[in-house]
Amino acid sequence: MTEEIEFILDSTQESMAGSIEHLEKAFLNIRAGKASPAMLGSVFVDYYGSSTPLTQVAKISVPDARTITLQPFEKNMLHTIEKAIMIANLGFNPMNNGDLIIISVPPLTEDRRRELAKQAKAEAEDAKISIRNARKDANTEIKKQEKDGTSEDICKSAEEEVQTLTNSFIKKIDEHLVIKEAEIMKV
């Protein structure tokens, strides 16, 4: 294969791997019953005028499966952090005891579990669309190479390689989804 074709295949694989990474991060934000610091990953706090991730202004710990505690690095940040958690609309009701913010994670109802499973499916479908877009872009580039004089056989085998990559990454997405759905639906 030519260098250009190799480059197209490598960049396609990189793009598809990026889609899987994005899916894994999205799945971390979908809670599955037990408390986890990742649940607060989308929370940003107004820290002296700049939007800062919660992890940079407080120590997050999980003492048990139903509780998350936050200990701010600066005590005067307690109310700001509490407010940021409320604004993030995660369904949590933070309690402030003067030193810590304690979040009690409520158990998931059956309806909420179904909602979260739908959300996981939607994230998986977005990842699949991203994979298919990468495939389309790669095939377009391969066609350009063919027009520029690369042999038809090389381009055909490159397209087959792209399809093989697509199939393997779609399979990985399906596997991640099955695991996440099982995690969500487990009571």
Side-chain angles (χ1 to χ4, degrees), residues 2 33 50 57 85 116 133 151 161 168 186:
T2 66
S50 67
V57 295
I85 293 169
L116 291 173
N133 286 338
S151 96
E161 178 71 24
S168 72
K186 188 174 83 180

Side-chain angles (χ1 to χ4, degrees), residues 7 26 40 57 76 89 99 133 142 149 163:
F7 178 75
L40 300 172
V57 295
N76 64 341
N89 198 18
D99 289 324
N133 286 338
I142 290 168
Q163 187 58 47

Side-chain angles (χ1 to χ4, degrees), residues 83-104:
K83 192 171 157 188
I85 293 169
M86 296 296 272
I87 291 170
N89 198 18
L90 300 170
F92 297 140
N93 192 14
M95 293 176 290
N96 177 348
N97 72 2
D99 289 324
L100 298 171
I101 294 174
I102 301 163
I103 299 172
S104 204

Side-chain angles (χ1 to χ4, degrees), residues 12-13 25 28-29 31 59-60 62-65 74 78 99 110 112 116 137-138 142 147 160 167 169 177-178 186:
T12 301
Q13 184 169 2
K25 286 179 184 164
L28 282 177
N29 289 332
R31 74 185 187 101
K59 177 182 167 227
I60 304 171
V62 183
D64 61 60
E74 297 176 28
L78 274 169
D99 289 324
E110 189 62 31
R112 184 69 179 135
L116 291 173
D137 294 344
I142 290 168
K147 284 180 183 162
E160 288 170 7
N167 293 344
F169 279 99
L177 179 60
V178 166
K186 188 174 83 180

